[in-house]
């Protein structure tokens, strides 16, 4: 089993390494091609886009991973789950467009349409991708993500060259094409069939997954509330600068840890279902150790190359901004590692279906950090946000650790 797990982690790692390179290339390229203001506008809309994906189908995705091992006919199980995701995408697309329209200065009918179809395609693709994760099909998962990200970049390049659309239309048309391309790769062909919803499954999924869906809405990877606060107080240009550094750092560590999460989450759920508590504990510990062994060397590299990242990679030239941005690199990096430790550690609570506790913790932490941001940002520069983020990650990790101890002693 250990060799199998390590091999699948290795496959995920190489796949994620390639997708990480593409994701990291996107940030400076988009800033260079479209300017900081356009990039800032894209970020705030795309963050909203991702928050709605997490909120609308995150509970379905987490339930697929949790319950797939309980079903003999998994094909039927996955089909029912994907139907729920599709219906949820159709229901949630209207409120998404309402929220997005409030953040678009130059709104066009075409842009609204592209965001809508892009969002629906993102939902159905993500649902199908989770199936490959649950089945531990690491190579298939990695190829699908590579197709999506590489297709996105190539579409942007092509549409930018043709100059047929404005910046946001170009970006969201490219998103739609990239999601659909990867979805077609996963399903091989698109078949139109009658959609029916199994309401007993909906009830079961909601009970377990809804708290986790709420968790994902407020998760540090989305960081949506903080980005809205930065935009409100400092404008889209500063948002673009802060978000660029934040996204680079969190993408590095998220992509490093994703191979571990992608393998260990369904594996831990299956072990828990088998009732082997000793193996569960050993597997969880192995995941935490692997995470630290991977992340700590990269923390040192990030510290050493931070000047290169800001000046050469992201292309920032204003010395005052560079001084401020240097202040946030290490605090954000340490925060990212701590968040990832907490996410691995909380798998025990997820296996015990204590997801409401996780939601309560993330809401409390995000609410406190948001209040601190609103209070301190007008008094200090935006570097204060990185220290607030670091404090929030430490508090969350402590809450998860203490709760794990409580349930270990109890059970």
């Amino acid at each position: 089993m250990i060799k199998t797990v390590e091999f699948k982690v290795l496959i995920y790692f190489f796949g994620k390494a390639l997708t990480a390179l593409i994701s990291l290339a996107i940030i400076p390229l988009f800033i260079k091609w479209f300017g900081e203001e356009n990039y800032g506008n894209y970020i705030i809309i795309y963050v909203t886009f991702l928050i709605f994906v997490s909120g609308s189908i995150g509970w379905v995705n987490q339930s697929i991973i949790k319950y797939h091992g309980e079903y003999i006919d998994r094909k039927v199980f996955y089909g029912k789950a994907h139907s729920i995701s599709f219906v949820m995408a159709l229901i949630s697309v209207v409120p998404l467009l309402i929220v997005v329209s409030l953040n678009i200065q130059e709104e066009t009918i075409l842009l609204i349409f592209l965001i809508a179809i892009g969002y629906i395609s993102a939902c159905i693709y993500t649902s199908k991708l989770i199936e490959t994760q649950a089945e531990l099909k690491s190579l298939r998962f990695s190829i699908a993500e590579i197709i999506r990200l590489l297709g996105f970049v190539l579409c942007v390049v092509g549409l930018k060259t043709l100059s047929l659309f404005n910046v946001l239309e170009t970006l969201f048309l490219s998103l739609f094409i990239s999601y659909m391309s990867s979805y077609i790769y996963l399903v091989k062909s698109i078949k139109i069939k009658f959609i029916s919803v199994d309401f007993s499954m909906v009830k079961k999924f909601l009970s377990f997954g809804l708290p986790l869906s709420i968790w994902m809405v407020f998760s540090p990877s989305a960081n949506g509330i903080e980005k809205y606060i930065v935009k409100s107080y400092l404008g889209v240009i500063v948002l673009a600068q802060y978000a660029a550094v934040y996204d680079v750092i969190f993408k590095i560590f998220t992509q490093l840890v994703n191979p571990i999460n992608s393998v260990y989450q369904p594996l831990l759920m299956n072990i828990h279902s088998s009732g082997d508590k000793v193996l569960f504990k050993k597997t969880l510990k192995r995941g935490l150790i692997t995470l630290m062994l991977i992340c700590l060397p990269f923390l040192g590299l990030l510290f050493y190359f931070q000047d290169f990242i800001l000046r050469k990679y992201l292309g920032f030239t204003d010395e005052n901004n560079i001084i401020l941005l240097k202040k946030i690199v290490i605090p954000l990096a340490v925060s990212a590692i701590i968040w990832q430790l907490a996410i691995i550690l909380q798998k025990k609570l997820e296996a015990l279906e204590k997801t409401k506790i996780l939601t309560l913790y993330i809401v409390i932490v995000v609410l406190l950090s948001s209040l601190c941001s609103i209070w301190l940002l007008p008094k200090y520069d935006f570097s204060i946000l990185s220290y607030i983020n670091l404090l929030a990650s430490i508090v969350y990790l402590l809450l998860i650790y203490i709760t794990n101890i409580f349930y270990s002693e109890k059970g």
Side-chain angles (χ1 to χ4, degrees):
M1 181 183 289
I2 293 175
K3 288 184 178 180
T4 302
V5 170
E6 290 177 344
F7 177 74
K8 289 182 181 295
V9 169
L10 191 63
I11 294 293
Y12 274 118
F13 181 79
F14 283 114
K16 286 295 181 181
L18 185 53
T19 56
L21 290 174
I22 300 171
S23 297
L24 292 172
I26 285 173
I27 298 170
L29 284 176
F30 282 12
I31 292 175
K32 181 180 179 180
W33 289 344
F34 305 121
E36 292 179 3
E37 185 173 356
N38 281 324
Y39 182 73
N41 285 324
Y42 165 70
I43 284 296
I44 202 69
I45 296 172
Y46 190 52
V47 163
T48 306
F49 182 101
L50 293 179
I51 286 173
F52 268 82
V53 171
S54 297
S56 62
I57 67 164
W59 57 279
V60 182
N61 294 339
Q62 292 301 310
S63 297
I64 288 174
I65 294 174
K66 169 66 176 175
Y67 296 117
H68 74 280
E70 298 179 6
Y71 288 79
I72 297 174
D73 192 339
R74 291 189 184 178
K75 185 176 181 181
V76 172
F77 167 76
Y78 290 132
K80 290 180 178 180
H82 298 328
S83 294
I84 297 171
S85 294
F86 180 67
V87 171
M88 287 305 303
L90 295 179
I91 292 172
S92 57
V93 69
V94 173
L96 165 70
L97 295 178
I98 292 172
V99 174
V100 164
S101 65
L102 298 175
N103 291 283
I104 302 176
Q105 293 180 347
E106 297 180 4
E107 181 180 339
T108 67
I109 295 175
L110 177 59
L111 176 59
I112 294 297
F113 173 73
L114 292 175
I115 292 173
I117 60 173
Y119 172 74
I120 293 171
S121 65
C123 288
I124 62 174
Y125 164 71
T126 304
S127 183
K128 188 66 179 178
L129 187 69
I130 290 296
E131 176 187 329
T132 67
Q133 181 184 342
E135 293 295 320
L136 295 177
K137 296 178 179 178
S138 54
L139 183 60
R140 192 170 178 80
F141 183 103
S142 299
I143 292 174
E145 284 290 87
I146 291 169
I147 291 172
R148 180 178 68 83
L149 285 167
L150 193 59
F152 178 49
V153 175
L154 293 176
C155 283
V156 171
V157 172
L159 292 172
K160 178 178 177 292
T161 303
L162 294 174
S163 300
L164 297 175
F165 310 99
N166 66 35
V167 172
L168 292 178
E169 290 169 352
T170 295
L171 292 171
F172 282 98
L173 176 56
S174 299
L175 273 177
F176 165 68
I177 294 172
S178 65
Y179 277 118
M180 284 307 299
S181 299
S182 291
Y183 178 73
I184 291 170
Y185 163 75
L186 289 176
V187 301
K188 301 304 181 184
S189 63
I190 298 177
K191 298 178 181 178
I192 299 175
K193 56 183 180 180
F194 179 75
I195 300 296
S196 61
V197 177
D198 185 335
F199 288 100
S200 63
M201 182 176 284
V202 170
K203 184 178 179 180
K204 182 177 183 179
F205 281 13
L206 279 173
S207 179
F208 168 77
L210 185 58
L212 286 177
S213 197
I214 297 170
W215 188 96
M216 287 184 286
V217 167
F218 293 104
S219 70
S221 58
N223 196 34
I225 294 178
E226 189 174 71
K227 287 185 172 72
Y228 279 109
I229 292 171
V230 173
K231 181 195 173 188
S232 177
Y233 280 94
L234 302 175
V236 291
I237 293 178
V238 175
L239 169 63
Q241 296 168 351
Y242 177 77
V245 177
Y246 184 99
D247 289 346
V248 165
I249 292 170
F250 268 77
K251 273 186 171 65
I252 288 174
F253 289 103
T254 301
Q255 298 287 8
L256 285 172
V257 176
N258 256 336
I260 302 171
N261 271 326
S262 297
V263 171
Y264 277 89
Q265 184 176 9
L267 182 64
L268 286 167
M269 296 306 164
N270 285 336
I271 294 172
H272 184 267
S273 296
S274 71
D276 193 335
K277 294 182 180 180
V278 175
L279 181 58
F280 184 92
K281 187 176 181 179
K282 286 182 179 179
T283 305
L284 182 64
K285 186 180 292 185
R286 193 164 73 242
L288 291 169
I289 292 171
T290 305
L291 184 149
M292 292 304 296
L293 289 175
I294 291 174
C295 287
L296 288 179
F298 275 87
L299 180 62
L301 289 172
L302 189 65
F303 175 76
Y304 184 78
F305 287 105
Q306 60 180 316
D307 197 68
F308 171 82
I309 291 171
L310 295 174
R311 296 177 187 275
K312 301 297 184 181
Y313 171 65
L314 292 175
F316 296 134
T317 56
D318 187 289
E319 288 299 323
N320 291 328
N321 283 339
I322 290 174
I323 291 171
L324 291 177
L325 291 169
K326 277 186 177 181
K327 291 181 180 180
I328 73 174
V329 172
I330 298 305
L332 284 180
V334 176
S335 174
I337 294 173
I338 293 173
W339 277 115
Q340 296 303 327
L341 282 170
I343 290 169
I344 293 284
L345 198 60
Q346 75 183 35
K347 298 308 174 191
K348 179 178 179 179
L349 298 177
E350 290 179 25
L352 293 171
E353 300 190 15
K354 304 298 180 182
T355 52
K356 293 183 179 66
I357 294 175
L358 300 178
T359 302
L360 176 63
Y361 288 167
I362 195 69
V363 170
I364 290 172
V365 168
V366 170
L367 181 61
L368 289 176
S369 63
S370 298
L371 291 174
C372 288
S373 299
I374 293 169
W375 174 40
L376 295 174
L377 192 57
K379 298 181 180 181
Y380 301 94
D381 54 68
F382 63 79
S383 66
I384 193 66
L385 296 174
S386 63
Y387 296 97
I388 294 172
N389 203 297
L390 176 58
L391 178 61
S393 65
I394 293 171
V395 171
Y396 186 77
L397 178 62
L398 288 174
L399 289 171
I400 296 299
Y401 179 72
I402 292 169
T403 307
N404 272 351
I405 292 175
F406 172 78
Y407 281 104
S408 294
E409 294 176 351
K410 190 176 180 180

